[in-house]
Amino acid sequence: MSVLDVLRERGFIQQLTHENEIAELLDKENITFYIGFDPTADSLHVGHFLGMMVMAHMQQAGHRPICLIGGGTAMVGDPSGKADMRKMLTAEIINHNGERFKKQMQRFIDFSEGKALMMNNADWLLRLNYVEFLRDIGMHFSVNRMLTAECFKQRMEKGLSFLEFNYMLMQSYDFLELNRQCNCIMQMGGDDQWSNILSGADLIRRKEAKPAYGLTFTLLTTSDGRKMGKTEKGALWLDAEKTSPYDFYQYWRNVDDADVEKCLALLTFLPMEEVRRLGALKDKEINIAKKTLAFEVTKLIHGQEEAEKAEQAAKALFGGAGNLDNVPTVSITTDSLGAKLLDVLASTGIVASKSEGRRLIQQGGLYIGDTKVADPDLLLTATLFENNNLLIRKGKKNYHRIVIE
């Protein structure tokens, strides 16, 4: 199969320019392509992981990826899919975040000699002369056409700043610069980037009189259209310090039945024959597919050892076997005994605040082991512990362990 067929079969492809040309090009040549990542946080999240899976499939087929860190564009902020203007970040924070991105990307992409490039658009965007940029690049953009782009439509209702309006020009210039420096002829990105990608390809044709191509891949959403990767603690991060390997494993272990096959196709390298077999399982057997999904994705992000630990922790909690030490654990001293359980849960971070814990109790969602907590003033006593362990459950399967030092 061609890499385009692989991406299509696994459900990645949403839109692409010049489909026949791209198909022929990818079959006959090894091309250079890029995907951009704006470092607006100090870790990649699972939405970024989708893009890196596309990169990995392309690299396995012999094509060269450029991971473009948006050190320059992050200072403006992409309005795509945003209801409000992004918080302005300092250059120091952006640089720090970019360095963290680089370390995480090296787990998925082979950056050995000639295999892939990692670049930062701050290297050219921050050196631009604004008037020269407007004369050289801005003249090729129609404001009327830009205002019809999906990436701007949503923001027009609340107000689109002129700062953000420049983002399309900057991203298009990135494509042009990478084409000039590295003969990069294709940009890929999430489907919300389609307008920006088209503008960049058009700019290359106008300035260089050469063909350029674009391809968008699906955004990671549930079967009913909701964005995946959101937890009660926020985004599902790839950094183990922000989302523990256990919590990461449990997220995928608990996805809806309808989303299992899609996630297996997009987020693992399992053969599609096996993906379809697992996705066809019904009723209780679908749990086999969910366990496979959770293990495979955790292994890719955190490595084999951490995936096995997370799997063992899940077995300890839900199957009566395995190592309980791998369950997310907090320690307290005997001084905490006699205090209100809610105070201890809030101080250890098991709940974000006492008010959140109180709401959880009122909604019937807080348990000690399998016993529902009904009293918000319940005291934490030694009798609640078994072998120095106290298991706290939030909702159906979100467990934490409290131990006494």
Side-chain angles (χ1 to χ4, degrees), residues 128-188:
L128 288 173
N129 177 296
Y130 187 58
V131 173
E132 290 179 2
F133 179 73
L134 288 178
R135 288 172 62 88
D136 186 36
I137 303 300
M139 64 176 293
H140 296 291
F141 286 78
S142 160
V143 171
N144 290 346
R145 184 178 174 187
M146 289 174 70
L147 289 175
T148 65
E150 286 298 325
C151 61
F152 292 140
K153 279 183 179 179
Q154 194 174 336
R155 292 300 312 281
M156 290 296 290
E157 297 177 8
K158 285 196 171 184
L160 177 73
S161 72
F162 183 70
L163 176 73
E164 296 169 292
F165 197 57
N166 280 267
Y167 191 91
M168 181 180 285
L169 277 70
M170 295 170 71
Q171 184 169 318
S172 300
Y173 186 75
D174 284 344
F175 197 176
L176 176 63
E177 190 69 21
L178 292 173
N179 180 265
R180 288 170 171 172
Q181 288 189 35
C182 311
N183 193 31
C184 175
I185 61 172
M186 181 181 290
Q187 182 184 357
M188 295 181 171

Side-chain angles (χ1 to χ4, degrees), residues 21-187:
E21 288 182 42
I22 289 176
E24 184 176 356
L25 191 66
L26 294 180
D27 281 345
K28 293 184 177 180
E29 299 180 30
N30 292 333
I31 70 161
T32 296
F33 68 98
Y34 94 94
I35 298 178
F37 302 84
D38 277 350
T40 53
D42 60 359
S43 171
L44 296 163
H45 54 66
V46 74
H48 295 125
F49 179 46
L50 201 66
M52 287 187 288
M53 287 296 288
V54 173
M55 278 190 167
H57 283 293
M58 288 285 288
Q59 189 178 56
Q60 289 172 9
H63 305 291
R64 182 175 70 159
I66 299 175
C67 297
L68 184 66
I69 303 295
T73 41
M75 299 191 77
V76 170
D78 182 3
S80 301
K82 302 293 181 294
D84 297 295
M85 183 173 169
R86 275 181 171 167
K87 180 182 176 182
M88 297 291 284
L89 302 174
T90 66
E92 290 76 19
I93 292 175
I94 290 170
N95 290 336
H96 169 75
N97 293 348
E99 289 302 315
R100 296 290 296 269
F101 275 27
K102 289 179 183 179
K103 290 179 181 178
Q104 292 177 333
M105 287 177 178
Q106 288 166 352
R107 293 185 62 91
F108 313 101
I109 307 300
D110 180 3
F111 287 98
S112 57
E113 188 66 30
K115 296 287 186 64
L117 298 173
M118 189 171 290
M119 303 177 75
N120 190 328
N121 63 18
D123 293 341
W124 53 83
L125 290 179
L126 300 188
R127 296 200 306 260
L128 288 173
N129 177 296
Y130 187 58
V131 173
E132 290 179 2
F133 179 73
L134 288 178
R135 288 172 62 88
D136 186 36
I137 303 300
M139 64 176 293
H140 296 291
F141 286 78
S142 160
V143 171
N144 290 346
R145 184 178 174 187
M146 289 174 70
L147 289 175
T148 65
E150 286 298 325
C151 61
F152 292 140
K153 279 183 179 179
Q154 194 174 336
R155 292 300 312 281
M156 290 296 290
E157 297 177 8
K158 285 196 171 184
L160 177 73
S161 72
F162 183 70
L163 176 73
E164 296 169 292
F165 197 57
N166 280 267
Y167 191 91
M168 181 180 285
L169 277 70
M170 295 170 71
Q171 184 169 318
S172 300
Y173 186 75
D174 284 344
F175 197 176
L176 176 63
E177 190 69 21
L178 292 173
N179 180 265
R180 288 170 171 172
Q181 288 189 35
C182 311
N183 193 31
C184 175
I185 61 172
M186 181 181 290
Q187 182 184 357

Side-chain angles (χ1 to χ4, degrees), residues 101-358:
F101 275 27
K102 289 179 183 179
K103 290 179 181 178
Q104 292 177 333
M105 287 177 178
Q106 288 166 352
R107 293 185 62 91
F108 313 101
I109 307 300
D110 180 3
F111 287 98
S112 57
E113 188 66 30
K115 296 287 186 64
L117 298 173
M118 189 171 290
M119 303 177 75
N120 190 328
N121 63 18
D123 293 341
W124 53 83
L125 290 179
L126 300 188
R127 296 200 306 260
L128 288 173
N129 177 296
Y130 187 58
V131 173
E132 290 179 2
F133 179 73
L134 288 178
R135 288 172 62 88
D136 186 36
I137 303 300
M139 64 176 293
H140 296 291
F141 286 78
S142 160
V143 171
N144 290 346
R145 184 178 174 187
M146 289 174 70
L147 289 175
T148 65
E150 286 298 325
C151 61
F152 292 140
K153 279 183 179 179
Q154 194 174 336
R155 292 300 312 281
M156 290 296 290
E157 297 177 8
K158 285 196 171 184
L160 177 73
S161 72
F162 183 70
L163 176 73
E164 296 169 292
F165 197 57
N166 280 267
Y167 191 91
M168 181 180 285
L169 277 70
M170 295 170 71
Q171 184 169 318
S172 300
Y173 186 75
D174 284 344
F175 197 176
L176 176 63
E177 190 69 21
L178 292 173
N179 180 265
R180 288 170 171 172
Q181 288 189 35
C182 311
N183 193 31
C184 175
I185 61 172
M186 181 181 290
Q187 182 184 357
M188 295 181 171
D191 203 40
D192 57 351
Q193 294 297 312
W194 180 241
S195 298
N196 291 328
I197 291 172
L198 288 178
S199 294
D202 184 60
L203 182 62
I204 290 172
R205 293 190 193 97
R206 290 172 181 270
K207 297 293 293 182
E208 304 296 306
K210 296 193 298 187
Y213 307 95
L215 182 152
T216 63
F217 44 83
T218 184
L219 301 176
L220 196 58
T221 58
T222 62
S223 54
D224 59 3
R226 291 177 291 111
K227 203 168 187 178
M228 292 188 78
K230 293 292 184 183
T231 71
E232 62 179 23
K233 297 179 181 177
L236 194 66
W237 302 103
L238 306 192
D239 185 335
E241 295 180 5
K242 296 173 77 72
T243 300
S244 73
Y246 172 79
D247 286 338
F248 190 84
Y249 177 97
Q250 283 300 117
Y251 179 87
W252 301 110
R253 175 66 182 83
N254 294 321
V255 297
D256 290 341
D257 294 1
D259 297 320
V260 175
E261 183 172 343
K262 177 174 71 173
C263 290
L264 282 166
L266 294 174
L267 302 177
T268 79
F269 291 109
L270 291 176
M272 283 303 297
E273 181 180 346
E274 177 67 0
V275 167
R276 283 189 282 267
R277 183 190 73 80
L278 289 167
L281 297 175
K282 301 296 182 184
D283 302 322
K284 288 185 178 181
E285 286 195 333
I286 194 66
N287 287 315
I288 298 171
K290 291 184 180 183
K291 289 175 184 177
T292 302
L293 169 66
F295 184 84
E296 291 295 325
V297 180
T298 305
K299 181 176 70 174
L300 285 172
I301 301 298
H302 296 293
Q304 178 92 15
E305 183 179 352
E306 291 298 333
E308 289 174 354
K309 286 181 180 179
E311 185 178 54
Q312 286 297 311
K315 287 179 180 178
L317 288 170
F318 310 122
N323 187 353
L324 203 60
D325 291 340
N326 295 317
V327 177
T329 301
V330 297
S331 298
I332 61 171
T333 65
T334 54
D335 293 341
S336 297
L337 296 176
K340 288 184 179 181
L341 176 64
L342 275 186
D343 292 342
V344 175
L345 296 182
S347 65
T348 55
I350 292 176
V351 296
S353 64
K354 286 187 284 187
S355 59
E356 181 197 283
R358 192 169 285 107

